Amino acid sequence: MSVKDFVQQRRDDFISLRRDFHMYPEPAWLEYRSAAKVAEKLIALGYDVALGAEVLDLDSRMGLPSEDVMKAAMARAMDEGADPELVEKMGYGKTAIVATMKFSDDGPVVAFRADMDSNDVIESKASNHIPAKIGFRSRHDKAMHACGHDTHMTMGLGLAEYIATHKDGLKGTIKLIFQPAEEGVRGAKAMVEAGVVDDVDLMFGMHIGFNEKLSNCFACSDHGFLATTKLDAVFHGYSAHAGGSPEKAQNAMLAGCTAVLNLQAIACHSQGASRMNVGVFESGTGRNVTPDVAVLKLETRGATTEINDYMIERTKTIIKGAAEMHDCTFEITKQGETPAGRISDDLAREVQEIIEPLGIFKEVPFDYSGGGSEDCAYFLNRVIDRGGRATYMVLGSAIKAPHHNPLFDIDEEDMLNGIVALGTIATHYLK
Amino acid sequence: MSVKDFVQQRRDDFISLRRDFHMYPEPAWLEYRSAAKVAEKLIALGYDVALGAEVLDLDSRMGLPSEDVMKAAMARAMDEGADPELVEKMGYGKTAIVATMKFSDDGPVVAFRADMDSNDVIESKASNHIPAKIGFRSRHDKAMHACGHDTHMTMGLGLAEYIATHKDGLKGTIKLIFQPAEEGVRGAKAMVEAGVVDDVDLMFGMHIGFNEKLSNCFACSDHGFLATTKLDAVFHGYSAHAGGSPEKAQNAMLAGCTAVLNLQAIACHSQGASRMNVGVFESGTGRNVTPDVAVLKLETRGATTEINDYMIERTKTIIKGAAEMHDCTFEITKQGETPAGRISDDLAREVQEIIEPLGIFKEVPFDYSGGGSEDCAYFLNRVIDRGGRATYMVLGSAIKAPHHNPLFDIDEEDMLNGIVALGTIATHYLK
Amino acid sequence: MSVKDFVQQRRDDFISLRRDFHMYPEPAWLEYRSAAKVAEKLIALGYDVALGAEVLDLDSRMGLPSEDVMKAAMARAMDEGADPELVEKMGYGKTAIVATMKFSDDGPVVAFRADMDSNDVIESKASNHIPAKIGFRSRHDKAMHACGHDTHMTMGLGLAEYIATHKDGLKGTIKLIFQPAEEGVRGAKAMVEAGVVDDVDLMFGMHIGFNEKLSNCFACSDHGFLATTKLDAVFHGYSAHAGGSPEKAQNAMLAGCTAVLNLQAIACHSQGASRMNVGVFESGTGRNVTPDVAVLKLETRGATTEINDYMIERTKTIIKGAAEMHDCTFEITKQGETPAGRISDDLAREVQEIIEPLGIFKEVPFDYSGGGSEDCAYFLNRVIDRGGRATYMVLGSAIKAPHHNPLFDIDEEDMLNGIVALGTIATHYLK
Amino acid sequence: MSVKDFVQQRRDDFISLRRDFHMYPEPAWLEYRSAAKVAEKLIALGYDVALGAEVLDLDSRMGLPSEDVMKAAMARAMDEGADPELVEKMGYGKTAIVATMKFSDDGPVVAFRADMDSNDVIESKASNHIPAKIGFRSRHDKAMHACGHDTHMTMGLGLAEYIATHKDGLKGTIKLIFQPAEEGVRGAKAMVEAGVVDDVDLMFGMHIGFNEKLSNCFACSDHGFLATTKLDAVFHGYSAHAGGSPEKAQNAMLAGCTAVLNLQAIACHSQGASRMNVGVFESGTGRNVTPDVAVLKLETRGATTEINDYMIERTKTIIKGAAEMHDCTFEITKQGETPAGRISDDLAREVQEIIEPLGIFKEVPFDYSGGGSEDCAYFLNRVIDRGGRATYMVLGSAIKAPHHNPLFDIDEEDMLNGIVALGTIATHYLK
């Protein structure tokens, strides 16, 4: 059966699957229910499924939550139907999966990567927000699939099912990578360091969404990846009674606010795009106590590693100066990091030739540079470094609000088209 | 028995009682366990005890927590030994107690007021912090008696016990007021509006602590009360992907940080002391999402109501401007308020003459102006307005760190002396 | 003739004299024309007039302008009618005068001090501003007598004339001190260090103005003097093309703006009034060049020297941190300083008894605490330190706008009353 | 004679000429001496020279200085040897020149544009700064040729001389445009609106400098022009005595500093480069007066007009909010503006083919995108709009410090090569 027909036949199931994932969003390193569901299905389809410490270099993980938080997430996942044995096997901070199916000794190793984690966003209850309207809004407090990873898992499983059920005549090996902790670019490095793509010849990453103009388009590469680093900064001051002895304070909130304004004011770099975002700021314990602590969660980005390094250096200088201004101490810790990703232009051109004839996309541009960061870069760069080829594709969708916004939503038809595209690419290279 | 001898005899019990209160600190409007313990003891001593809605004008309460929070606090209090019937009776936001004992129809009504709530401070675990060292550190997360209200309750009960056990020859009526929610100046107004001091002839408030110089001193008045207002400000912006579409953001954190810096920079007032404290600032949901919300909890203070009004007006202007700068909307809500308090100087002079001969204090100054705010002002002002007399006394103690600091601690000997002072004053006026 | 009658007779001349001074305002250390006019008149009245280096300890002067600026001011003064010989004698930075008249060897040395310099304010041209309306608005660019020193000189000369013309029966010595550079508290220290009040028994300072409520009142002391320090801070960064290489900048303007906001946000002190004013901020050379320099002119104040020291220490810390945040270097230089001043309360009480019977003032309060700073403090403190007595008096006047405002103006009737008061005081003590 | 030989022969004169221009830098609209010298030489060479109102649409000029400033500049220019008749003819704000030489009725009209104004930068006196070392450092206070316009004039005159002295066999018309006020992008629009390039077929702009890597390179186009807008913002507050009545202030400096920090923190745009530079900030009149005025001179830039518009809109919102925060009024005025420039790629390719064979440049890249803004864009866009072709070339030079820096300097050999390049291009198209 053609991929198109297959997807048409299974469309309701794929939509249900996506909505199920959407209802149970799990933040980075806590994807127990999602990963268990994914693994279960892959096993049922006949894949060799490796997970947990088998596919992670534990020391390369970044930005892990506390064990308490992980424990609670494991319990909740099991409450919500995750297979306890799989959850147990993943254990603390090991929610990674690699599924393999070998067709022949000759032929290429072709890998696809999907990510599984959700965002720290409270999903909108607005009546025009489809998940709220139809009833598959997030069941989890302060968590939402606001970046489309629910569809990524669904597309990965759709691809897995198509290949498993149409494997006659295929050569080589397919490798399906389900990565934890893409948000915060914390998870890919540990999988790459564990060697999971060291044997890969062709590597494909993909992301849904981006913006309205790209609706129903399929871009064969993204040259616009930004290198990024995720940092936490904590200021420690001294708290005093705000009315009775204000002069004794070492005001960590003033240090923090001064840092935020100056961080956001770091000069642009002439050699390419740069970004600063202080995404979270928490300071103070009580209204009438001068604040003795301030916590900043921030990220830098740069079109190149050099530009990102410039941002980091300025960040450190600013935080140090802000602390000193208010007689505070401080510490800075790294929570995640990824380089800019490389693309094999020839592979992207081939993809363009493979996808265009499908006739399901309005346009199939060679490139779309979205300006985001993605630790898929680790996979791409490792494969290219070892002589393979790699690209990262963009599946445009008419999103209702920017990524990470409480109103974010994609068009499910685009997700279905995505499965067709992935199935077609896989079949092409495995034939 | 003299008050001094009585306190000497009961010293271990009073110290134990204070440490028990210290271990179970309860923030404003959540003093279920504390209040239940206080009420239980007062009833046992033979007082007429009114509590809950009997002694509170419910509409005059300010800054109530949510019902969920209150419910959880009630459950915890019962877990920790509070009498379920009393907790039930207090119900949502009604943790106020007035205990009365009448000796004769003639003679004055003499009232004493103690407050019961704790601070939002995480108590230090440092080995030189006595509560940590000896083992009566706070059992409650993020709550601490860092302002000595544990000793206030103990002193109120010590006074209650002395009077109840030495009532022969007393005239008039004693009224013991145990107030909730002094922190944030949220509770006194509702008790005063309920009329609890409308029949009072002599009103006494008191606070322990202040600073090292005042150690073992007893000041007979505090003319330095500051008027204060507690405000919450919330900024609402729009969140976008920090890498992919930063220009779409309406950055509430920048609005908040700009507000904080400018609020703390409000010009001093030439006519007397003013204070601004933004005590809590929380903004943002995730590192790679531009922050769409910022919450500020702040307080203004002024030596006079006019100065406090100046601070409030400037505060509102600054918050509005900061919101507009970043295309954010905002709202400001009042969480608490108290005027500056008045003092009957002649009563304070009398107290000086009563206390000095006791010989237990290093010094007995007429006045100590601490620069704090106290909603005891409502009690003082109401009594004076209705023709009575009132003062607010300061029981100096060599505190280890400023009030509201994680290392705050008082000297328990000073607390014992405080009971002697209160017992002596009560006996003097009830004879 | 009584002082009242004398002033009545000479009123038009005194008003003309004040308006002449008003038209030619001269900033600190540049009072060449003013001082020459003053000296000329004093000499004509028969006083022994010492000026320049005779009455200044040159090393104790603070905040001198550059020689170029002084040279230009000298030339202008001569153009505007100053005696060239006197201007020459004063030379660079020596515009100080002490006039003495001795009546007998016995009797006290009674000293009066007036200041001569103007403010860096552009005088209003508004039609309701009397100097503009009548035509004696400042002829000098960016300079204005917006603090009443024009009337101080006039009152000093009025007193000088009355005493010189009514010296029969006087004992002791009168000493009239005309001080340069009161603005910025830069001049008094050098006169005091030169010993000009070392022989003084009774020292009187006085200021006109303050606020409407004080109109036509005479306060016999000012206990509200604030200690103050005047600092210049300069940030040095690195300038780059704002479009082509912004990342190379070390942005001194950002350092400066960050410093200003944080300086103005220094916490109030619980022990008394404090003040911070960054009065001048200049940064940058061109619109498309990133700013490599920022200059701040600021002042700290405190009710006590300790509070002022707290402000200075915080100031230095903030400037250092702000510089470091932006990889800038910085220097801080002191431009002026004065302690808080002391008052001989008994002398102030005597003055009250001397002035009240005159019947020319609405009220004669013992004290008015204006909240300003005055280097007259050096004179007061030195005289008191050496066993004499001193006070600083406030001559209330219904000012039209705050001191240092472009619309500042006093009521000339109050100035005339001021001469009566000074003449009466002098005569009282010299009799 | 070949251009190369011609330049070799005249090299000392061209170097002298450049150093003369360098010594007398004149800011925008004040280029009286420079323009008079240029016009004088062009007239002597036989060109038809139009200047002043003939070549300027007066209403399209932007950012003119005051008449006083222009008058002083005219006087100075005449003092420094400018022809009084020419200076007079240029008059107020009309320092523009167009020189034309027609060879035949057929053949193209080929135009070259040079700019003449200097920067508001104080030139370095450092011993390693060649102009200081050799002795041709700026004679003018606060003005410096820190962007190479001295060499642009020299190259324009070198080209003029070569063509005038080698006109045999030339066809068509050469047009040499000497533009005032490029800094601040204020002058080109008025020349274009006067129609000076309406008949032009081929338009060439050029700039020297940029960065070390580009040393001795010649780039045939610059596609990286940024659209830009120059704005002045003024905040008006209310000044009060900083010690005596600080609460009466409406602090314009706080409004300004808050604006600066927030302006520099405007979020980057995802669709391309953006820039903000507040280049000048001046606030306050005196140290002890609260500042009642703040002036900001700033510029926005964007890779596209849309991005620049985004920057302008955010700028206006921030300034308004900052003013409101401090009860200040404000006004914003436009001082200059230019769109992004267009390039005729085919013309740039032709130039590459013309220049490469000269063998005098290390490299001759098709494009160098410097990230600056240039109102030469008006010339380029007008010519292309009317059917002609245009390019803007970059003459790389190993600059010693970034453009607009006090240490900026170019290599004079590069300037000489520039004349060779221009002469070669002109000859090519006029043959």
Side-chain angles (χ1 to χ4, degrees), chain B residues 81-409:
Chain B
D83 176 338
E85 205 176 313
L86 287 168
V87 170
E88 185 94 349
K89 192 167 174 205
M90 292 187 280
Y92 289 159
K94 290 172 287 187
T95 43
I97 301 166
V98 177
T100 310
M101 191 173 277
K102 190 175 184 176
F103 309 110
S104 71
D105 281 340
D106 61 338
V109 179
V110 182
F112 294 85
R113 175 269 208 174
D115 40 14
M116 304 186 288
D117 54 328
S118 70
N119 305 93
D120 299 328
V121 171
I122 301 169
E123 183 157 17
S124 173
K125 294 179 179 167
S127 61
N128 63 342
H129 180 58
I130 291 169
K133 191 177 165 189
I134 298 191
F136 62 96
R137 185 177 168 272
S138 168
R139 260 68 170 151
H140 291 167
D141 197 29
K142 293 185 190 175
M144 172 186 174
H145 271 298
C147 198
H149 298 188
D150 48 348
T151 71
H152 295 174
M153 288 183 279
T154 306
M155 291 189 281
L157 290 175
L159 167 63
E161 184 178 334
Y162 179 73
I163 294 298
T165 56
H166 296 76
K167 61 184 167 188
D168 286 358
L170 298 185
K171 290 191 301 182
T173 301
I174 190 166
K175 206 171 219 189
L176 301 169
I177 298 165
F178 290 84
Q179 177 203 317
E182 188 279 328
E183 298 295 341
V185 291
R186 294 174 269 171
K189 191 182 184 190
M191 296 192 81
V192 170
E193 292 301 319
V196 306
V197 293
D198 285 359
D199 61 347
V200 168
D201 297 297
L202 297 170
M203 176 80 222
F204 296 93
M206 188 169 86
H207 208 298
I208 199 169
F210 287 76
N211 69 41
E212 214 161 319
K213 280 187 213 161
L214 213 62
S215 175
N216 190 221
C217 296
F218 186 93
C220 304
S221 65
D222 181 343
H223 286 74
F225 273 116
L226 301 174
T228 187
T229 301
K230 316 297 182 184
L231 300 173
D232 281 1
V234 184
F235 295 93
H236 301 282
Y238 182 81
S239 61
H241 187 285
S245 53
E247 74 277 12
K248 291 191 180 135
Q250 293 163 346
N251 195 315
M253 189 191 291
L254 281 178
C257 289
T258 298
V260 169
L261 280 167
N262 282 280
L263 288 169
Q264 297 291 159
I266 293 176
C268 293
H269 199 288
S270 61
Q271 298 308 303
S274 59
R275 297 280 184 278
M276 163 60 63
N277 189 54
V278 186
V280 176
F281 181 18
E282 283 168 2
S283 180
T285 51
R287 187 191 305 279
N288 61 351
V289 188
T290 67
D292 66 347
V293 68
V295 177
L296 276 69
K297 294 180 192 293
L298 64 89
E299 57 170 32
T300 62
R301 301 192 196 219
T304 63
T305 302
E306 288 66 36
I307 295 174
N308 192 43
D309 286 349
Y310 155 78
M311 295 299 290
I312 294 170
E313 197 181 330
R314 292 290 301 121
T315 296
K316 290 181 176 170
T317 304
I318 286 167
I319 286 168
K320 182 166 183 290
E324 288 180 5
M325 277 176 103
H326 293 282
D327 293 319
C328 292
T329 58
F330 71 99
E331 65 261 3
I332 298 174
T333 53
K334 190 188 288 186
Q335 299 294 330
E337 191 164 54
T338 186
R342 304 216 297 283
I343 297 289
S344 304
D345 280 2
D346 56 347
L347 181 63
R349 298 268 177 226
E350 289 172 18
V351 168
Q352 203 174 14
E353 281 164 31
I354 296 162
I355 298 299
E356 260 177 349
L358 280 173
I360 57 176
F361 295 108
K362 204 173 63 191
E363 276 182 73
V364 185
F366 169 63
D367 183 69
Y368 174 77
S369 293
S373 299
E374 243 287 27
D375 61 0
C376 194
Y378 284 107
F379 291 109
L380 305 175
N381 294 356
R382 174 64 67 97
V383 168
I384 291 172
D385 282 344
R386 294 179 66 89
R389 297 191 297 159
T391 194
Y392 186 85
M393 307 170 296
V394 176
L395 176 64
S397 189
I399 56 175
K400 303 297 184 297
H403 286 248
H404 301 182
N405 183 288
L407 286 163
F408 177 84
D409 197 19

Side-chain angles (χ1 to χ4, degrees), chain C residues 233-240 242 249-257 280-296 328, chain D residues 119-122 142-143 260 264 277-283 295-298 404-406:
Chain C
V234 184
F235 295 93
H236 301 281
Y238 183 81
S239 62
Q250 292 163 348
N251 195 316
M253 189 191 291
L254 280 178
C257 289
V280 176
F281 181 18
E282 283 167 3
S283 180
T285 51
R287 187 191 305 281
N288 61 350
V289 188
T290 67
D292 66 346
V293 69
V295 177
L296 276 69
C328 292
Chain D
N119 306 93
D120 299 328
V121 171
I122 301 167
K142 291 184 190 177
V260 168
Q264 296 291 157
N277 190 54
V278 185
V280 176
F281 182 18
E282 283 168 2
S283 180
V295 177
L296 276 69
K297 294 178 192 292
L298 64 90
H404 301 182
N405 184 288

